[in-house]
């Protein structure tokens, strides 16, 4: 798994690619959490367009990121959630912890408020 990172209007946009399973989960954690912890009110957008699969450990990292962001008055948004990830999130009743957007422009606008 690789993750592209860029900033737009104060929003950290992370675009992981591949499968978020096994050692890739640690890579995501090491990339995502510092973006949240280094800011008093982090705004992060996760673009899952190129993620084919995520396992329960990967979901755990996303939950941890949500918890840390909430504690620090941050927000996490998500776009392009594929069918596999969406099913996993729904089954585990985690759908409510992420802000969902239709596209990047909408997400950046909403998260920058």
């Amino acid at each position: 798994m690789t993750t592209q990172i860029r900033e737009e209007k104060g929003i950290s946009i992370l675009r992981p690619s591949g499968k978020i399973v096994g050692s890739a989960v640690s890579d995501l954690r090491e990339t995502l959490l510092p973006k949240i912890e280094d800011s008093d009110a982090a705004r992060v957008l996760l673009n899952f367009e190129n993620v084919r699969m995520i396992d329960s450990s990967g979901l755990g990292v996303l939950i941890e990121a949500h918890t840390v962001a909430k504690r620090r008055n941050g927000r996490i948004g998500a776009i392009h959630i594929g069918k596999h990830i969406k099913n996993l999130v729904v089954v585990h009743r985690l759908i409510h912890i992420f802000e969902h957007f239709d596209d990047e422009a909408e997400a950046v606008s909403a998260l920058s408020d």
Side-chain angles (χ1 to χ4, degrees):
M1 182 201 78
T2 60
T3 302
Q4 296 175 348
I5 305 168
R6 66 185 176 83
E7 301 284 326
E8 185 175 327
K9 296 183 181 180
I11 311 296
S12 295
I13 302 171
L14 281 72
R15 188 176 185 168
S17 295
K19 296 179 180 179
I20 304 175
V21 298
S23 63
V25 173
S26 296
D27 295 343
L28 179 64
R29 186 178 193 283
E30 291 170 8
T31 303
L32 178 57
L33 288 181
K35 290 288 180 191
I36 298 167
E37 293 169 338
D38 293 344
S39 175
D40 288 333
R43 303 288 192 250
V44 176
L45 176 61
L46 296 165
N47 181 340
F48 289 106
E49 184 173 22
N50 295 319
V51 175
R52 296 185 309 266
M53 177 182 277
I54 187 168
D55 65 10
S56 59
S57 296
L59 275 182
V61 168
L62 297 178
I63 293 166
E64 180 181 7
H66 166 75
T67 302
V68 172
K70 190 169 184 168
R71 219 177 319 146
R72 300 181 66 82
N73 297 318
R75 294 170 63 189
I76 298 179
I79 58 173
H80 302 299
I81 299 173
K83 187 175 182 179
H84 170 78
I85 297 171
K86 188 172 186 174
N87 288 340
L88 194 58
V89 169
V90 168
V91 165
H92 291 288
R93 296 186 177 133
L94 302 172
I95 196 81
H96 65 279
I97 69 170
F98 298 105
E99 297 180 61
H100 301 269
F101 301 97
D102 292 329
D103 60 41
E104 187 174 298
E106 176 190 358
V108 168
S109 176
L111 291 172
S112 61
D113 289 339

